[in-house]
Amino acid sequence: MYANLKSQPVIFIIFGGTGDLNARKLAPALYNLFIDGWMPDQFAIIGTGRTPLSDQQFAEKIQDGINKYSRSGKVKKDKWDEFYKHLFYQSADAKDSKTYKEFGTRIDKLNTEWKAEANVIFYLAVSPEYFPIIAGNLSKSKLADDTKKSRIVIEKPFGHDLETSRSLNKLLSGIFNECQIYRIDHYLGKETVQNIMAFRFANALLEPIWNRNYIEHVQISVTEQLGVEERGDYYDKSGALRDMIQNHLLQLLCLVAMESPNNFNADEVRNRKVDVLNAMRKFGPEDVRLSTVRGQYSDGWMEGKEVPGYRKEPKVDPESNTETFAAIKFFIDNWRWKGVPFYVRTGKRMHQSASVISIQFRDVPHQIFPAEVSESWQQNRLVISIQPEMSIRLQVQAKRPGLEMALNTVDMVFDYKGTYTSQAPEAYETLLLDTMAGDQTLFMRGDQVEVAWDLLMPILTSWEGRKSLNFPNYSADSWGPELAEALIARDGFHWFTLPLNGKK
Ligand code: BG6
């Protein structure tokens, strides 16, 4: 897949080069790709932003970011001295056409120096109001005319609702070919998330039971201990539904529910995911009332520290109606999944940080053991733990050793830590490498984003149109509002949590 990458020069132009995303994620990822030998022999990373900085000052910021956030720890001097030579900065106003002329001159100069045509990747690590401005200027300056050589990477949020995502898609497709547009959902780059497809489609034994005949229900739970903290400005206009469910959780759901693609081709894989989204049951007003729960955290204590409630976080409206927790029961109306509930939940300031998919199988058809033998009986469950634990567990019943017949639940575990010694790459490493290689499999296609928005619009409209009178309705360090327990308990289930060996 990455065969010719080494000899294909690349230029990254990072808008928002002095920002948080670059420091925390992009710079460490590019540095790790470099030290692991994945970067092409000829490459340049040009940061851009309004702050006037020299190349040297920019490089120092990048170094700081790597030192703080890279999985490989602080930079090693010899590697850094090499990497440093590829870093440049251009202070510029993204609204000004002059900026793009200067980029053009730089690109030409590098191409002449390298005696080759570089792939140019415009990375938009800026707030969404800049997307149309930058895209428009790239078009006017003709920097994106070569559909094979130029690419644009767009960070989330991709639109604020169906209408805005449609107009953003329309604007982008007027300038770029779809094969040039890389819409990021960083969950798709996570090692364990990529493994869902490998696990499902590289093993013959799962497919016969991967359907409504054997699976009773599915849970997808992404809970975070983090609060909204410094991100109030963005988050208060967004909320859990837009921030997490529209993208990350629906992507996970698609991976669990999709049909087998014919091959690993980007469009083939994405077609199968769009099929799932298209088959998901639409919500009417009554469904919103019965099948969704929203929540907002109040103050409390997290690991011995007092934390403020959401409404007291900086830049959050003290009367805010924004949800920091959402739980939804979905159905997929197709042959494979008819009648199988998919429960998803996500929340901030929850008791545990964990992203876990639990697939619960149906009960045995007939119980041959007497009640006292199977006291702790549980139905089979497949648990895919995405983070922090990276594992796949199959929970089965086994005989407890001893003279009497007694059953208990045991786990058959595939644990990354115990199986592999090498460190897993960060999601952004995978995604940046794929951007260089021109592989869009792990990126969202325009139609996919729109169908996901379309599905959630009735919930969004209902929640925004009706102020929640019981907010805040869950305290920090809890498992969310009680109604979320009721949502699943009504069907006779409970939210599954993975004991994380004492760690939260
Ligand atoms: C981001 C959301 O997309 O994902 C954040 O905007 C959230 O609110 C984050 O905290 C979670 O990502 P991860 O990789 O830490 O699970």
Side-chain angles (χ1 to χ4, degrees):
M1 252 161 87
Y2 304 119
N4 301 321
L5 218 55
K6 282 299 260 182
S7 56
Q8 173 54 60
V10 70
I11 301 171
F12 275 96
I13 296 185
I14 302 180
F15 291 86
T18 54
D20 207 42
L21 183 74
N22 194 21
R24 279 174 188 268
K25 300 287 182 191
L26 308 182
L30 289 165
Y31 176 72
N32 284 328
L33 286 172
F34 175 72
I35 60 174
D36 289 345
W38 291 103
M39 289 304 280
D41 298 331
Q42 290 158 324
F43 74 94
I45 299 167
I46 307 172
T48 180
R50 262 179 306 187
T51 323
L53 292 180
S54 63
D55 288 347
Q56 162 83 26
Q57 285 167 320
F58 173 64
E60 279 163 16
K61 271 184 170 288
I62 294 291
Q63 188 177 9
D64 264 8
I66 299 170
N67 285 343
K68 272 200 209 134
Y69 303 112
S70 165
R71 69 175 167 86
S72 58
K74 294 197 173 172
V75 297
K76 318 261 174 321
K77 185 165 179 332
D78 55 332
K79 297 282 183 202
W80 172 254
D81 289 347
E82 275 305 306
F83 187 67
Y84 170 87
K85 293 181 196 154
H86 299 269
L87 302 178
F88 306 92
Y89 186 75
Q90 181 177 321
S91 78
D93 178 356
K95 292 185 182 148
D96 189 346
S97 59
K98 264 203 334 238
T99 303
Y100 300 83
K101 274 206 190 101
E102 287 170 32
F103 286 144
T105 314
R106 271 177 187 264
I107 295 167
D108 290 343
K109 201 169 148 239
L110 287 166
N111 281 343
T112 315
E113 196 181 302
W114 293 338
K115 296 192 183 61
E117 282 257 323
N119 283 341
V120 185
I121 297 168
F122 299 98
Y123 200 113
L124 274 52
V126 286
S127 59
E129 63 267 25
Y130 278 93
F131 297 168
I133 298 169
I134 297 172
N137 276 315
L138 288 174
S139 160
K140 279 190 217 134
S141 60
K142 305 204 174 306
L143 287 179
D145 279 7
D146 187 336
T147 55
K148 295 248 166 8
K149 292 276 167 199
S150 61
R151 288 162 206 166
I152 182 167
V153 186
I154 312 250
E155 272 291 334
K156 67 176 269 265
F158 194 92
H160 186 69
D161 50 26
L162 179 59
E163 204 185 311
T164 48
S165 72
R166 265 192 193 144
S167 42
L168 183 54
N169 269 336
K170 196 160 162 215
L171 177 121
L172 292 175
S173 60
I175 301 172
F176 305 94
N177 194 310
E178 181 65 31
C179 71
Q180 294 175 277
I181 310 171
Y182 289 72
R183 297 174 191 80
I184 292 254
D185 180 328
H186 79 280
Y187 264 58
L188 295 181
K190 288 181 190 273
E191 194 64 35
T192 34
V193 173
Q194 291 181 72
N195 197 29
I196 299 173
M197 270 188 74
F199 190 63
R200 281 197 58 199
F201 301 123
N203 295 299
L205 62 92
L206 287 173
E207 177 56 20
I209 54 168
W210 207 257
N211 57 51
R212 62 190 299 279
N213 298 327
Y214 295 90
I215 293 178
E216 187 172 64
H217 80 274
V218 176
Q219 295 181 24
I220 301 175
S221 169
V222 177
T223 56
E224 296 179 282
Q225 287 184 299
L226 271 181
V228 169
E229 296 162 50
E230 302 310 316
R231 298 172 73 218
D233 202 16
Y234 152 75
Y235 197 89
D236 210 33
K237 295 183 215 92
S238 173
L241 207 55
R242 289 190 169 93
D243 186 49
M244 296 293 287
I245 294 191
Q246 189 273 342
N247 36 74
H248 309 324
L249 277 92
L250 283 181
Q251 282 301 314
L252 295 179
L253 184 146
C254 285
L255 288 166
V256 172
M258 70 198 275
E259 295 301 316
S260 162
N262 294 337
N263 52 47
F264 204 46
N265 171 290
D267 271 328
E268 177 64 19
V269 171
R270 296 187 296 178
N271 285 342
R272 295 293 78 80
K273 290 186 179 176
V274 173
D275 288 346
V276 174
L277 293 169
N278 276 327
M280 289 178 74
R281 195 177 297 169
K282 306 287 175 284
F283 284 76
E286 189 61 359
D287 304 311
V288 176
R289 195 176 65 77
L290 291 174
S291 300
T292 72
V293 173
R294 55 178 161 162
Q296 189 189 73
Y297 62 82
S298 63
D299 47 12
W301 291 80
M302 305 275 313
E303 301 190 324
K305 252 180 66 191
E306 194 165 11
V307 293
Y310 175 67
R311 290 177 176 184
K312 292 186 207 127
E313 298 276 25
K315 300 201 177 149
V316 167
D317 175 359
E319 299 281 306
S320 178
N321 188 41
T322 301
E323 79 286 354
T324 59
F325 173 99
I328 305 176
K329 173 169 137 181
F330 289 110
F331 283 103
I332 303 169
D333 288 334
N334 62 15
W335 273 53
R336 187 185 287 269
W337 296 115
K338 186 81 182 179
V340 177
F342 281 68
Y343 302 94
V344 307
R345 74 167 171 182
T346 184
K348 301 241 179 245
R349 283 279 183 247
M350 304 277 288
H351 181 62
Q352 197 179 62
S353 287
S355 304
V356 178
I357 299 172
S358 150
I359 291 145
Q360 182 163 313
F361 291 90
R362 295 195 186 281
D363 209 347
V364 291
H366 169 64
Q367 183 62 271
I368 63 162
F369 299 102
E372 63 275 18
V373 169
S374 51
E375 261 168 10
S376 59
W377 181 270
Q378 274 179 25
Q379 287 162 237
N380 296 141
R381 193 187 267 133
L382 183 77
V383 181
I384 305 175
S385 177
I386 290 160
Q387 57 187 25
E389 180 178 300
M390 296 165 74
S391 67
I392 297 180
R393 294 162 180 270
L394 182 61
Q395 300 193 324
V396 294
Q397 306 306 306
K399 181 187 174 304
R400 196 182 308 145
L403 296 175
E404 283 181 325
M405 178 53 118
L407 298 172
N408 68 341
T409 306
V410 293
D411 286 7
M412 291 160 66
V413 186
F414 155 52
D415 178 17
Y416 279 68
K417 255 206 205 134
T419 312
Y420 303 114
T421 47
S422 60
Q423 219 180 23
E426 284 278 343
Y428 274 93
E429 292 171 43
T430 304
L431 297 176
L432 288 169
L433 186 65
D434 283 358
T435 314
M436 286 190 270
D439 183 346
Q440 293 184 302
T441 314
L442 302 180
F443 295 83
M444 316 261 281
R445 208 170 53 191
D447 55 337
Q448 212 178 346
V449 181
E450 288 183 22
V451 196
W453 276 120
D454 192 30
L455 176 72
L456 297 184
M457 282 319 291
I459 308 174
L460 274 175
T461 315
S462 163
W463 285 2
E464 281 177 357
R466 221 168 13 101
K467 199 164 165 66
S468 182
L469 299 176
N470 67 351
F471 274 6
N473 59 354
Y474 72 98
S475 61
D477 200 22
S478 72
W479 280 113
E482 275 172 23
L483 283 172
E485 300 298 330
L487 173 78
I488 191 164
R490 271 204 304 268
D491 298 337
F493 311 129
H494 62 89
W495 289 105
F496 173 78
T497 54
L498 195 61
L500 292 172
N501 306 326
K503 278 185 295 166
K504 276 210 197 162

